[in-house]
Structures are given as C-alpha cells and as structure tokens.
Amino acid sequence: MKTEQLIEKARKFAEPFRVNKGKDFRLKNAMPGETLGLGNEDKPRAQEALTMGIEALAELQDKLYAQDKWAVLLIFQAMDAAGKDGAIKHVMSGVNPQGCQVVSFKSPSADDLDHDYLWRCMKSLPNRGHIGIFNRSCYEETVVVRVHPEIMARQKVPVELITKKIWEQRFADIRNFEEYLSNNGVVVRKFFLHLSKNEQKRRFLERIEIPDKNWKFSASDAVEREHWDEYMEVYEDMIRNTATEKSPWYVVPADNKWFTRVVVAAAIVETLASLDLKYPEVDKDKLAELAAIKRQLLKE
Ligand code: ATP
Ligand code: MG
C-alpha cells in the first residue's frame, strides 16, 4: 500500500476518537469496547494494518528527524492496566530510538516538589526532530491529586493559593503551556486509554494468577480502583477543559489491546502526516560540493 493510502486509512481509525473541542465531550458516549465494527476474526487484518502503520511511522519519523524543525510530544494517561506500556512498546517498535525519548512520571521526587508542577515536564520536553513520549504527565496534577486531596496537602504549594479555583487554574496553566508549545513547533497529542471497570478487573486477576505477570500488580492499584467513579469524573473534566484544536485528546477504546494499538498508531501517523515532512533540500553549492567529493573519491 502506498504511503498516501496508508495515511488515508490511518485517518479513518484516528478521527472517530479525536476530541478537538472539549466542551461537548462526555465520557459516557465513548465506549471502551468500541472496535469500529471489527470483530476478533478481523484481528489478523488489524495486525497487518498495524505493521503497515508502524512502517509508515518509521518513514515519517525519519523525515521528522532529518528536517529537525518540529518536535512531537505524545502524552499517555490512563487507569492502571489500560495498556499504556504495551501500546507505547508496540507502536514505537519500528522507530529509530535515536529520535525518540520516553519519560515515565511517577510520584514527584523531593526535588520535583521543590518546584512548580510543570517543571519536571518542561525539563523532559523532546528536542526538535524527536518524538517525546510522556507515560503519565502533568495531567496527574489534575487527576490523582484531585482524587486524593491529601497529596496536595503534602506538596509545598502555599496553602493560601489552594482555593476552589485550583482546578480551573491548572487547566488554564496546561492549556496555555500547550499553546506555547504549539506556537514553538512542539506538536502535542494526548491519549486517554479508556478502559472499562470490568476489563480492569479481568486484567488485575490475570496479573495475580499468572506468575510472570505478578510484578505488574501492586496493592495500590486495587486501592485506586475503589475510586473508579471519581477518576472517571476527573478524567472527563480534564478532557473537557484541555481538548483543543491544536492539542487534541484521543479517547482510545482500551478493552481490546489489538484495537488500542491500531488507533494509537493511526493517530501518530495522522499527526506526523499533517506536518508535511520533507527531507531537507540541498542547495546548488552543496550539490556542487558533493559532486566534487564524488569525483575525488572515484579517482582514488
Ligand atoms: P504500570 O502500568 O506499570 O502500573 P504506572 O504508570 O501506573 O505503570 P506506577 O509506578 O505504578 O506506574 O505508578 C506511578 C504512580 O505515580 C501512579 O499511581 C500515578 O498516579 C503517580 N503519580 C504520577 N504523577 C504524580 C503526581 N504529580 N502526583 C502524585 N502522584 C503521581
Ligand atoms: Mg501502576
């Protein structure tokens, strides 16, 4: 399949899940089990599409790197066991590691807490020509911190600044930050892997029952699960307040891993394709220089 056709196909898989305008978004209208009509019998075809998507991605990334102008920042947020790690691993499997950086954001360190909350994300922004992946991000400051106010109490933010407006302010901070990034050629795309509570239970049980998966499970995951409804509310609010034309959210159905990966790959292909990436053109002087060196090499 030609790259143009692939890009067209990628749009078909990515567009239905892209939220450009937060105001109208409702999480209840997004189905974690959605597969756009594809069933289990279509898995091999989906796998093939994914392989082609990954190849297209590699080609586009090569140009992104050569052009050295744009940077792409991909942010992943989700409940535990939604498949962030697997999606990142599979989708980025074909890209040149030199042009890609993955950063995981865990609980903030003492040094992090000694700064404003965007500080650690700013420090980890991708270089031009690179794809940066944030496995969790500053959005945790509007999610886990909101579900657990005691986390905020342990932070060093002056208490008089923590008012009823805090979430509204944080959404505005992040919107402004992302606008600033896009004005500087850092293209931001955000992924919420949308898992159902039932499927999370199934995956947790699998992690407990299969010895090789035990390491993936921690008791705190089960504690967070008890706050499921609150998490869904804050995630919805996060998307409603921060999905914009320039930095949209993709709300990716996460109950079927094969489908999640196709949509994530498609969204990245769609994003890179929108940049009209080209290998840098070489000017006349440079061409003359290359020809001279070639002549010299052939004479050896
Ligand atoms: P896995 O899928 O392997 O469990 P993970 O992303 O959940 O990956 P963990 O090490 O389990 O990684 O968890 C990281 C934890 O750090 C999450 O529970 C997350 O909510 C928490 N965290 C991230 N950022 C912040 C923050 N700014 N404040 C408080 N907690 C945070
Ligand atoms: Mg975890």
Side-chain angles (χ1 to χ4, degrees):
M1 204 185 293
K2 276 208 186 127
T3 308
E4 284 76 49
Q5 280 172 302
L6 256 170
I7 292 169
E8 198 45 49
K9 200 161 183 185
R11 280 200 193 100
K12 281 204 186 112
F13 278 102
E15 223 158 38
F17 306 108
R18 192 175 62 224
V19 182
N20 291 336
K21 213 166 97 195
K23 216 164 63 73
D24 307 327
F25 178 74
R26 284 280 175 234
L27 198 56
K28 69 169 167 39
N29 297 331
M31 297 300 154
E34 177 68 73
T35 56
L36 293 178
L38 299 179
N40 271 335
E41 67 283 6
D42 299 306
K43 262 195 201 175
R45 269 184 34 228
Q47 185 56 48
E48 213 177 298
L50 181 59
T51 307
M52 287 192 299
I54 290 171
E55 277 167 24
L57 197 65
E59 205 179 305
L60 289 162
Q61 185 218 9
D62 202 46
K63 289 181 185 163
L64 179 83
Y65 189 82
Q67 202 178 38
D68 199 16
K69 278 189 182 172
W70 299 95
V72 175
L73 174 62
L74 308 173
I75 296 179
F76 287 83
Q77 287 289 152
M79 294 299 281
D80 282 303
K84 278 184 287 114
D85 295 14
I88 293 168
K89 187 166 103 183
H90 279 82
V91 170
M92 304 314 280
S93 61
V95 309
N96 177 357
Q98 274 210 103
C100 183
Q101 54 216 62
V102 184
V103 188
S104 294
F105 291 95
K106 312 274 182 189
S107 289
S109 68
D111 197 21
D112 294 334
L113 291 179
D114 227 10
H115 293 86
D116 58 283
Y117 75 92
L118 287 177
W119 178 74
R120 65 175 180 161
C121 288
M122 290 191 190
K123 274 200 312 182
S124 302
L125 288 170
N127 299 12
R128 292 192 193 280
H130 287 218
I131 298 177
I133 296 177
F134 283 2
N135 185 348
R136 303 189 186 272
S137 65
C138 54
Y139 281 104
E140 290 290 327
E141 291 285 339
T142 71
V143 176
V144 67
V145 181
R146 199 170 176 188
V147 172
H148 295 285
E150 66 277 14
I151 298 180
M152 179 84 93
R154 285 198 302 268
Q155 293 186 352
K156 295 166 78 177
V157 181
V159 71
E160 57 270 39
L161 297 181
I162 306 172
T163 67
K164 272 196 302 205
K165 286 196 175 153
I166 186 93
W167 310 117
E168 209 181 296
Q169 286 166 343
R170 287 197 167 181
F171 291 138
D173 295 338
I174 296 176
R175 276 198 308 268
N176 291 333
F177 177 49
E178 290 178 353
E179 167 103 24
Y180 161 81
L181 291 178
S182 65
N183 289 340
N184 277 275
V186 182
V187 179
V188 184
R189 294 291 183 272
K190 302 163 300 197
F191 296 86
F192 172 57
L193 304 195
H194 184 26
L195 182 73
S196 71
K197 196 176 180 189
N198 245 340
E199 178 61 17
Q200 191 198 48
K201 178 175 162 184
R202 203 192 60 74
R203 293 184 190 175
F204 277 180
L205 287 171
E206 199 176 77
R207 289 178 178 194
I208 292 167
E209 282 157 11
I210 301 175
D212 285 357
K213 292 196 173 184
N214 284 171
W215 65 275
K216 284 192 184 179
F217 189 76
S218 83
S220 66
D221 295 352
V223 175
E224 294 317 306
R225 178 177 168 81
E226 285 172 24
H227 297 280
W228 187 274
D229 292 346
E230 291 155 79
Y231 270 110
M232 291 307 115
E233 269 174 42
V234 297
Y235 268 125
E236 181 181 78
D237 208 35
M238 171 193 86
I239 294 164
R240 286 173 59 84
N241 280 283
T242 58
T244 65
E245 203 75 46
K246 283 185 191 162
S247 29
W249 277 97
Y250 289 93
V251 178
V252 184
D255 276 6
N256 297 287
K257 285 182 183 170
W258 59 274
F259 191 72
T260 308
R261 290 167 192 171
V262 170
V263 174
V264 171
I268 305 172
V269 168
E270 166 181 81
T271 301
L272 291 176
S274 73
L275 300 179
D276 192 25
L277 301 168
K278 287 190 192 81
Y279 287 110
E281 273 181 32
V282 172
D283 62 21
K284 260 202 232 150
D285 291 349
K286 179 83 184 171
L287 282 176
E289 187 188 54
L290 291 176
I293 295 172
K294 183 178 169 186
R295 277 196 303 275
Q296 217 167 359
L297 285 170
L298 291 173
K299 256 200 270 168
E300 273 179 13

